[in-house]
Amino acid sequence: SWFGSLRKRNEAPFAAKPQEKILKNKKMSQRKQTLFILSLVLLWYSSNIGVLLLNKYLLSNYGFRFPIFLTMCHMSACAILSYVSIVFLKIVPLQTVKSRSQLAKIATLSTVFCGSVVGGNISLRYLPVSFNQAVGATTPFFTALFAYLMTFKREAWVTYATLVPVVAGVVIASEGEPGFHLYGFIMCISATAARAFKSVLQGILLSSEGERLNSMNLLLYMSPIAVLVLLPAALIMEPKVLEVIVSLGRQHKFLWLLLLINSTMAYSANLLNFLVTKHTSALTLQVLGNAKGAVAVVISILLFRNPVTFIGIAGYTMTVLGVAAYGEAKRRYR
């Protein structure tokens, strides 16, 4: 018995070492995962805010007054980079379009998506980024409205009640916005409504299991269709676009580089949005999205130095808090 107890005493430290090593490896893997997610969120913030600010700079401060052509550049980059990412880099498995009916549905979504992006870019010509973000934060209101009108889907009364400060905040922000522009406001509201309409329409059109596509494959098929829609629109509504771009390219050596960076960032924003959702959750994405809007507002004010008022800040804050309350109410009373 004495030799047996001595043997167990000597073996105990060796038995504990593998467990300690497993725990240590587990902690290291958790740290790596956390660092990876933080890196994704940082890149997602950078690409989203970067493309927004660069759009504003090009359309308002650089003399590049062609929002339709700019959107076409974004969609062209999305088409090319989506193909490279899915077919060659295999970030996600390639999903194929199985019928003409499915292709027609994707084309419909693409057209609505074009309208939302073009409307948002046009609004940036006339509105400060801070006010543009305040109006864009009302997307949940339009989503709930279209969901009810198109699918008769009802939410709990508490959920609808949280939309009151969302809308009221924008009304207050509009009253206190020194750079308010009616046409820009109409285009911004239209773009926000189109974005919400697209999300509801996507749920209706691609609801069956056989037709459902992940966001990256949907972008792969929507982007070329969007380019085909935007090209004639740019030639008709912006007839001097090529002439002016060539002239601007001669005056400003970095114009083409800015367009390339801007278009690449537009695709990166979509890719990173998908990756952040994949590695976190839809709720986390919503919370991060609300914070991203606030960060974009602060950075835009510092960069463009557009005047802001206490009433405008209060209105935007009310809208953001209303959106956060809406997300929480929807989760609880689902």
Side-chain angles (χ1 to χ4, degrees):
S1 62
W2 182 77
F3 281 110
S5 63
L6 182 63
R7 184 181 176 185
K8 286 181 181 179
R9 197 180 302 166
N10 292 332
E11 286 178 351
F14 295 102
K17 282 184 178 179
Q19 292 180 355
E20 290 177 3
K21 191 173 182 180
I22 290 170
L23 288 171
K24 188 177 180 181
N25 290 337
K26 190 175 181 181
K27 287 181 180 179
M28 286 183 66
S29 64
Q30 287 176 346
R31 286 177 184 173
K32 286 182 180 178
Q33 180 69 10
T34 304
L35 185 62
F36 174 70
I37 292 173
L38 287 174
S39 301
L40 280 180
V41 172
L42 183 62
L43 289 170
W44 179 52
Y45 269 43
S46 301
S47 58
N48 270 274
I49 296 172
V51 74
L52 179 68
L53 297 177
L54 200 50
N55 283 349
K56 175 65 178 176
Y57 178 70
L58 284 168
L59 293 168
S60 297
N61 298 54
Y62 207 79
F64 185 89
R65 305 183 185 281
F66 305 106
I68 299 176
F69 183 82
L70 182 63
T71 307
M72 191 183 74
C73 291
H74 291 177
M75 292 297 101
S76 300
C78 287
I80 295 168
L81 295 174
S82 292
Y83 185 81
V84 172
S85 299
I86 294 174
V87 176
F88 294 103
L89 301 180
K90 302 188 184 300
I91 291 176
V92 292
L94 177 65
Q95 295 173 291
T96 57
V97 176
K98 298 177 180 178
S99 64
R100 290 184 179 179
S101 173
Q102 187 183 11
L103 182 61
K105 293 173 182 178
I106 293 171
T108 304
L109 289 173
S110 181
T111 305
V112 176
F113 181 64
C114 283
S116 69
V117 178
V118 170
N121 285 339
I122 291 174
S123 71
L124 284 173
R125 278 190 59 187
Y126 303 98
L127 298 176
V129 174
S130 53
F131 187 61
N132 178 278
Q133 289 294 287
V135 177
T138 60
T139 302
F141 168 77
F142 290 104
T143 303
L145 178 65
F146 287 129
Y148 177 75
L149 293 176
M150 297 169 66
T151 65
F152 302 104
K153 180 184 176 183
R154 293 184 179 182
E155 304 285 353
W157 70 269
V158 178
T159 307
Y160 288 123
T162 58
L163 292 173
V164 175
V166 172
V167 178
V170 171
V171 173
I172 293 171
S174 301
E175 289 294 323
E177 176 54 50
F180 182 83
H181 192 283
L182 181 60
Y183 178 67
F185 177 73
I186 292 171
M187 294 309 298
C188 195
I189 283 284
S190 302
T192 305
R195 187 162 55 247
F197 180 65
K198 182 253 177 188
S199 65
V200 175
L201 193 64
Q202 182 177 333
I204 297 171
L205 296 181
L206 302 177
S207 58
S208 64
E209 191 64 35
E211 292 186 337
R212 195 173 295 136
L213 300 171
N214 63 49
S215 59
M216 296 313 299
N217 275 276
L218 185 60
L219 185 65
L220 172 67
Y221 295 113
M222 282 174 53
S223 302
I225 297 172
V227 173
L228 293 176
V229 172
L230 291 167
L231 180 59
L235 293 175
I236 294 169
M237 300 177 70
E238 300 171 346
K240 296 182 179 180
V241 59
L242 295 177
E243 180 183 341
V244 174
I245 287 175
V246 171
S247 175
L248 283 173
R250 289 172 181 171
Q251 295 175 23
H252 308 282
K253 296 179 180 179
F254 297 107
L255 174 65
W256 301 107
L257 180 61
L258 287 174
L259 280 175
L260 179 63
I261 293 172
N262 191 22
S263 302
T264 305
M265 289 173 71
Y267 170 73
S268 300
N270 287 283
L271 174 62
L272 290 163
N273 185 81
F274 171 78
L275 292 175
V276 171
T277 309
K278 180 180 177 182
H279 290 281
T280 56
S281 66
L283 180 62
T284 304
L285 187 77
Q286 187 179 33
V287 174
L288 291 171
N290 293 336
K292 175 177 63 65
V295 173
V297 167
V298 173
I299 294 175
S300 69
I301 292 171
L302 293 174
L303 280 179
F304 298 109
R305 301 187 181 279
N306 56 284
V308 291
T309 62
F310 175 77
I311 296 175
I313 294 172
Y316 178 69
T317 304
M318 182 185 291
T319 297
V320 171
L321 292 175
V323 171
Y326 171 80
E328 180 63 20
K330 194 171 181 181
R331 183 182 68 84
R332 287 192 179 188
Y333 300 98
R334 183 167 50 188

